[in-house]
Amino acid sequence: MNNAVAGFSKLSKKEKINWIANEYFSNPEEALNIIRNYWNSDEKLQQLHDEFIENTITNLYIPLGVAPNFLINGNYKTIPMAIEESSVVAAASKSAKYWATRGGFKATVINTEKIGQVHFTFKGDAQKLEAFFNQIKPKFFSDTQSITKNMQQRGGGILNIELRDKRDLLDNYFQLHATFETKDSMGANFINSCLEQFATTLKEEAQNTDLEVEVVMSILSNYVPNCIVRAEVSCPIEDLTEKHIPNPQEFAERFVQAVQIAEVEPFRAVTHNKGIMNGVDAVILATGNDFRAVEAGVHAYASRNGQYSSLSHAKIENGIFTFWLEIPLALGTVGGLTSLHPLVKLSLEILQKPSAKELMEIVAVAGLAQNFAALRSLTTTGIQEGHMKMHLNNIINQFEANDEERHQIKAHFKKNAVSHSAVVDFIENLRKK
Ligand code: MEV
């Protein structure tokens, strides 16, 4: 039975680590060593990471890789990806190379509207509330001027504020539903600050009337169905041909069927979209964006018609194969981690300092490329062949193979099918010899 701890956040880092090591480990010194091994030797850099969150004890590394050769709207990009899943970067690079010789990726930002809401209750005459709202609406804009000034200079700001009657869903429930343009920032702080001011204005103005308004909460929405980017690849069917695609017509038809299955079958759609998010999340993480916000918004969007469905689509028309994706992405290339985390800055430099719109395009392309790679494997060789090849490295590391063993294992499994047990048997036999 472990003990609760009082005032943990007030302990020094050393005290916190000692508490963890003594409380949860039979060999506290070993645990302390692991924790310390992952500290950065540059104390300043470590302090930066310590201060990102509360109670930091160490750093959890995730590999940062790059997928080169992405031809997007006519320009080559090398895409940084932070991810632990072994096959993702390899798959992205393979798709990039494949499509670079077939016209590349086309990406377009369709719109960039962000949303925030003040949720409140009102018991009374809704018409009176509406008249009151219309009367004080300019005040929402004037009271937030100190918050919106800089954003307006960058071409953004509050787009609109609406009063929404939600009493069909919940007794006495109303909203201020506001829309925003936040240019190159993700805008969470800006939006939440505006919303909290709207709530204050609403309460203060209501006090001068006989209207009884109770604010419940003010918060942005991570559902951004009007912040959409589209990515697409397309080529004549015969151009799809390559080593693993000897019959392009058959390949294209099976590929379209695989997408259609994800459009109609939620069990498949979830896995299909998970493959898309392998690419999306990896770039989101590498560029210091909020992957939880993106995940939540993307999956809500995938359910917008009442049933969870595929985010990507494919068709064959007049001998042309087209495969595309539309996803909501609220991203930033300024503010937040983008100027704080040295590796995030580095990733953004690799991407040649994109605007938020350009980053939306890059991320959508990474998602489409990942989806293409997965469907291509699934509809031809199956995915285990590629996955297990990548997994081989993980197994080799797990067994702490030396250089000579590593060489022999790799040579053997170049010619033989990889499975966990086959690799384990091979290593054990090697070591017996
Ligand atoms: C694995 O991380 C992702 C896939 O399952 C995606 C898919 O099935 O389309 C391969």
PDB file of all heavy atoms in Angstrom, residues 9-25:
ATOM      1  N   SER A   9       3.932  19.319  -5.036  1.00  0.00           N
ATOM      2  CA  SER A   9       4.396  20.309  -6.019  1.00  0.00           C
ATOM      3  C   SER A   9       5.376  21.307  -5.400  1.00  0.00           C
ATOM      4  O   SER A   9       6.145  21.948  -6.103  1.00  0.00           O
ATOM      5  CB  SER A   9       3.210  21.035  -6.649  1.00  0.00           C
ATOM      6  OG  SER A   9       2.591  21.841  -5.677  1.00  0.00           O
ATOM      7  N   LYS A  10       5.343  21.415  -4.075  1.00  0.00           N
ATOM      8  CA  LYS A  10       6.241  22.387  -3.418  1.00  0.00           C
ATOM      9  C   LYS A  10       7.617  21.798  -3.115  1.00  0.00           C
ATOM     10  O   LYS A  10       8.539  22.516  -2.747  1.00  0.00           O
ATOM     11  CB  LYS A  10       5.591  22.914  -2.143  1.00  0.00           C
ATOM     12  CG  LYS A  10       4.330  23.700  -2.458  1.00  0.00           C
ATOM     13  CD  LYS A  10       3.879  24.604  -1.348  1.00  0.00           C
ATOM     14  CE  LYS A  10       2.609  25.322  -1.766  1.00  0.00           C
ATOM     15  NZ  LYS A  10       1.452  24.398  -1.953  1.00  0.00           N
ATOM     16  N   LEU A  11       7.749  20.478  -3.252  1.00  0.00           N
ATOM     17  CA  LEU A  11       9.067  19.862  -3.017  1.00  0.00           C
ATOM     18  C   LEU A  11      10.041  20.276  -4.113  1.00  0.00           C
ATOM     19  O   LEU A  11       9.625  20.647  -5.215  1.00  0.00           O
ATOM     20  CB  LEU A  11       8.949  18.321  -3.031  1.00  0.00           C
ATOM     21  CG  LEU A  11       8.032  17.660  -2.007  1.00  0.00           C
ATOM     22  CD1 LEU A  11       8.052  16.141  -2.179  1.00  0.00           C
ATOM     23  CD2 LEU A  11       8.452  18.036  -0.580  1.00  0.00           C
ATOM     24  N   SER A  12      11.332  20.212  -3.822  1.00  0.00           N
ATOM     25  CA  SER A  12      12.324  20.482  -4.868  1.00  0.00           C
ATOM     26  C   SER A  12      12.325  19.294  -5.825  1.00  0.00           C
ATOM     27  O   SER A  12      11.809  18.221  -5.500  1.00  0.00           O
ATOM     28  CB  SER A  12      13.702  20.646  -4.245  1.00  0.00           C
ATOM     29  OG  SER A  12      14.140  19.392  -3.750  1.00  0.00           O
ATOM     30  N   LYS A  13      12.946  19.490  -6.993  1.00  0.00           N
ATOM     31  CA  LYS A  13      12.992  18.397  -7.974  1.00  0.00           C
ATOM     32  C   LYS A  13      13.665  17.157  -7.362  1.00  0.00           C
ATOM     33  O   LYS A  13      13.188  16.036  -7.527  1.00  0.00           O
ATOM     34  CB  LYS A  13      13.759  18.876  -9.207  1.00  0.00           C
ATOM     35  CG  LYS A  13      13.761  17.894 -10.363  1.00  0.00           C
ATOM     36  CD  LYS A  13      14.347  18.563 -11.586  1.00  0.00           C
ATOM     37  CE  LYS A  13      14.644  17.580 -12.690  1.00  0.00           C
ATOM     38  NZ  LYS A  13      15.363  18.189 -13.797  1.00  0.00           N
ATOM     39  N   LYS A  14      14.759  17.414  -6.615  1.00  0.00           N
ATOM     40  CA  LYS A  14      15.491  16.301  -6.002  1.00  0.00           C
ATOM     41  C   LYS A  14      14.580  15.549  -5.005  1.00  0.00           C
ATOM     42  O   LYS A  14      14.538  14.313  -4.988  1.00  0.00           O
ATOM     43  CB  LYS A  14      16.712  16.875  -5.283  1.00  0.00           C
ATOM     44  CG  LYS A  14      17.741  15.851  -4.977  1.00  0.00           C
ATOM     45  CD  LYS A  14      19.043  16.498  -4.529  1.00  0.00           C
ATOM     46  CE  LYS A  14      19.878  15.431  -3.866  1.00  0.00           C
ATOM     47  NZ  LYS A  14      20.739  15.962  -2.830  1.00  0.00           N
ATOM     48  N   GLU A  15      13.846  16.318  -4.223  1.00  0.00           N
ATOM     49  CA  GLU A  15      12.962  15.683  -3.224  1.00  0.00           C
ATOM     50  C   GLU A  15      11.850  14.882  -3.912  1.00  0.00           C
ATOM     51  O   GLU A  15      11.490  13.790  -3.465  1.00  0.00           O
ATOM     52  CB  GLU A  15      12.348  16.763  -2.317  1.00  0.00           C
ATOM     53  CG  GLU A  15      13.345  17.366  -1.343  1.00  0.00           C
ATOM     54  CD  GLU A  15      12.834  18.643  -0.670  1.00  0.00           C
ATOM     55  OE1 GLU A  15      11.994  19.373  -1.260  1.00  0.00           O
ATOM     56  OE2 GLU A  15      13.291  18.935   0.447  1.00  0.00           O
ATOM     57  N   LYS A  16      11.339  15.434  -5.005  1.00  0.00           N
ATOM     58  CA  LYS A  16      10.274  14.725  -5.735  1.00  0.00           C
ATOM     59  C   LYS A  16      10.789  13.391  -6.263  1.00  0.00           C
ATOM     60  O   LYS A  16      10.130  12.354  -6.146  1.00  0.00           O
ATOM     61  CB  LYS A  16       9.802  15.567  -6.931  1.00  0.00           C
ATOM     62  CG  LYS A  16       8.931  16.740  -6.552  1.00  0.00           C
ATOM     63  CD  LYS A  16       8.618  17.589  -7.764  1.00  0.00           C
ATOM     64  CE  LYS A  16       7.936  18.874  -7.322  1.00  0.00           C
ATOM     65  NZ  LYS A  16       7.857  19.886  -8.357  1.00  0.00           N
ATOM     66  N   ILE A  17      11.968  13.446  -6.863  1.00  0.00           N
ATOM     67  CA  ILE A  17      12.538  12.234  -7.458  1.00  0.00           C
ATOM     68  C   ILE A  17      12.850  11.203  -6.385  1.00  0.00           C
ATOM     69  O   ILE A  17      12.560  10.016  -6.538  1.00  0.00           O
ATOM     70  CB  ILE A  17      13.793  12.612  -8.272  1.00  0.00           C
ATOM     71  CG1 ILE A  17      13.358  13.403  -9.490  1.00  0.00           C
ATOM     72  CG2 ILE A  17      14.590  11.400  -8.688  1.00  0.00           C
ATOM     73  CD1 ILE A  17      14.453  14.202 -10.102  1.00  0.00           C
ATOM     74  N   ASN A  18      13.388  11.664  -5.276  1.00  0.00           N
ATOM     75  CA  ASN A  18      13.676  10.733  -4.182  1.00  0.00           C
ATOM     76  C   ASN A  18      12.398  10.088  -3.671  1.00  0.00           C
ATOM     77  O   ASN A  18      12.358   8.893  -3.387  1.00  0.00           O
ATOM     78  CB  ASN A  18      14.393  11.465  -3.034  1.00  0.00           C
ATOM     79  CG  ASN A  18      15.845  11.726  -3.380  1.00  0.00           C
ATOM     80  OD1 ASN A  18      16.412  11.060  -4.240  1.00  0.00           O
ATOM     81  ND2 ASN A  18      16.443  12.730  -2.733  1.00  0.00           N
ATOM     82  N   TRP A  19      11.354  10.891  -3.562  1.00  0.00           N
ATOM     83  CA  TRP A  19      10.080  10.342  -3.070  1.00  0.00           C
ATOM     84  C   TRP A  19       9.577   9.245  -4.005  1.00  0.00           C
ATOM     85  O   TRP A  19       9.205   8.164  -3.574  1.00  0.00           O
ATOM     86  CB  TRP A  19       9.034  11.467  -2.941  1.00  0.00           C
ATOM     87  CG  TRP A  19       7.753  10.962  -2.336  1.00  0.00           C
ATOM     88  CD1 TRP A  19       7.481  10.797  -1.013  1.00  0.00           C
ATOM     89  CD2 TRP A  19       6.590  10.513  -3.050  1.00  0.00           C
ATOM     90  NE1 TRP A  19       6.214  10.274  -0.841  1.00  0.00           N
ATOM     91  CE2 TRP A  19       5.650  10.094  -2.086  1.00  0.00           C
ATOM     92  CE3 TRP A  19       6.263  10.423  -4.393  1.00  0.00           C
ATOM     93  CZ2 TRP A  19       4.395   9.604  -2.420  1.00  0.00           C
ATOM     94  CZ3 TRP A  19       5.009   9.931  -4.739  1.00  0.00           C
ATOM     95  CH2 TRP A  19       4.083   9.520  -3.755  1.00  0.00           C
ATOM     96  N   ILE A  20       9.605   9.538  -5.315  1.00  0.00           N
ATOM     97  CA  ILE A  20       9.149   8.556  -6.318  1.00  0.00           C
ATOM     98  C   ILE A  20       9.994   7.279  -6.216  1.00  0.00           C
ATOM     99  O   ILE A  20       9.463   6.168  -6.165  1.00  0.00           O
ATOM    100  CB  ILE A  20       9.288   9.131  -7.758  1.00  0.00           C
ATOM    101  CG1 ILE A  20       8.351  10.324  -7.970  1.00  0.00           C
ATOM    102  CG2 ILE A  20       9.090   8.055  -8.832  1.00  0.00           C
ATOM    103  CD1 ILE A  20       6.923   9.975  -8.275  1.00  0.00           C
ATOM    104  N   ALA A  21      11.304   7.462  -6.181  1.00  0.00           N
ATOM    105  CA  ALA A  21      12.218   6.303  -6.189  1.00  0.00           C
ATOM    106  C   ALA A  21      12.010   5.434  -4.945  1.00  0.00           C
ATOM    107  O   ALA A  21      11.959   4.208  -5.035  1.00  0.00           O
ATOM    108  CB  ALA A  21      13.660   6.785  -6.278  1.00  0.00           C
ATOM    109  N   ASN A  22      11.857   6.090  -3.793  1.00  0.00           N
ATOM    110  CA  ASN A  22      11.703   5.321  -2.553  1.00  0.00           C
ATOM    111  C   ASN A  22      10.317   4.705  -2.423  1.00  0.00           C
ATOM    112  O   ASN A  22      10.150   3.643  -1.838  1.00  0.00           O
ATOM    113  CB  ASN A  22      11.988   6.209  -1.331  1.00  0.00           C
ATOM    114  CG  ASN A  22      13.463   6.572  -1.275  1.00  0.00           C
ATOM    115  OD1 ASN A  22      14.324   5.733  -1.549  1.00  0.00           O
ATOM    116  ND2 ASN A  22      13.756   7.832  -0.961  1.00  0.00           N
ATOM    117  N   GLU A  23       9.334   5.387  -2.970  1.00  0.00           N
ATOM    118  CA  GLU A  23       7.946   4.952  -2.806  1.00  0.00           C
ATOM    119  C   GLU A  23       7.611   3.771  -3.720  1.00  0.00           C
ATOM    120  O   GLU A  23       6.862   2.887  -3.348  1.00  0.00           O
ATOM    121  CB  GLU A  23       7.033   6.150  -3.130  1.00  0.00           C
ATOM    122  CG  GLU A  23       5.576   5.971  -2.791  1.00  0.00           C
ATOM    123  CD  GLU A  23       5.275   6.032  -1.303  1.00  0.00           C
ATOM    124  OE1 GLU A  23       6.184   6.343  -0.503  1.00  0.00           O
ATOM    125  OE2 GLU A  23       4.119   5.748  -0.949  1.00  0.00           O
ATOM    126  N   TYR A  24       8.164   3.768  -4.951  1.00  0.00           N
ATOM    127  CA  TYR A  24       7.676   2.812  -5.951  1.00  0.00           C
ATOM    128  C   TYR A  24       8.713   1.792  -6.417  1.00  0.00           C
ATOM    129  O   TYR A  24       8.403   0.951  -7.247  1.00  0.00           O
ATOM    130  CB  TYR A  24       7.134   3.569  -7.171  1.00  0.00           C
ATOM    131  CG  TYR A  24       5.887   4.363  -6.832  1.00  0.00           C
ATOM    132  CD1 TYR A  24       5.921   5.741  -6.689  1.00  0.00           C
ATOM    133  CD2 TYR A  24       4.671   3.700  -6.616  1.00  0.00           C
ATOM    134  CE1 TYR A  24       4.780   6.459  -6.358  1.00  0.00           C
ATOM    135  CE2 TYR A  24       3.530   4.408  -6.286  1.00  0.00           C
ATOM    136  CZ  TYR A  24       3.590   5.788  -6.153  1.00  0.00           C
ATOM    137  OH  TYR A  24       2.461   6.471  -5.815  1.00  0.00           O
ATOM    138  N   PHE A  25       9.944   1.869  -5.935  1.00  0.00           N
ATOM    139  CA  PHE A  25      10.971   0.980  -6.484  1.00  0.00           C
ATOM    140  C   PHE A  25      11.705   0.220  -5.380  1.00  0.00           C
ATOM    141  O   PHE A  25      12.088   0.808  -4.360  1.00  0.00           O
ATOM    142  CB  PHE A  25      11.980   1.778  -7.327  1.00  0.00           C
ATOM    143  CG  PHE A  25      11.335   2.383  -8.547  1.00  0.00           C
ATOM    144  CD1 PHE A  25      10.750   3.646  -8.493  1.00  0.00           C
ATOM    145  CD2 PHE A  25      11.258   1.658  -9.731  1.00  0.00           C
ATOM    146  CE1 PHE A  25      10.118   4.184  -9.595  1.00  0.00           C
ATOM    147  CE2 PHE A  25      10.625   2.193 -10.841  1.00  0.00           C
ATOM    148  CZ  PHE A  25      10.057   3.467 -10.781  1.00  0.00           C
TER     149      PHE A  25
END
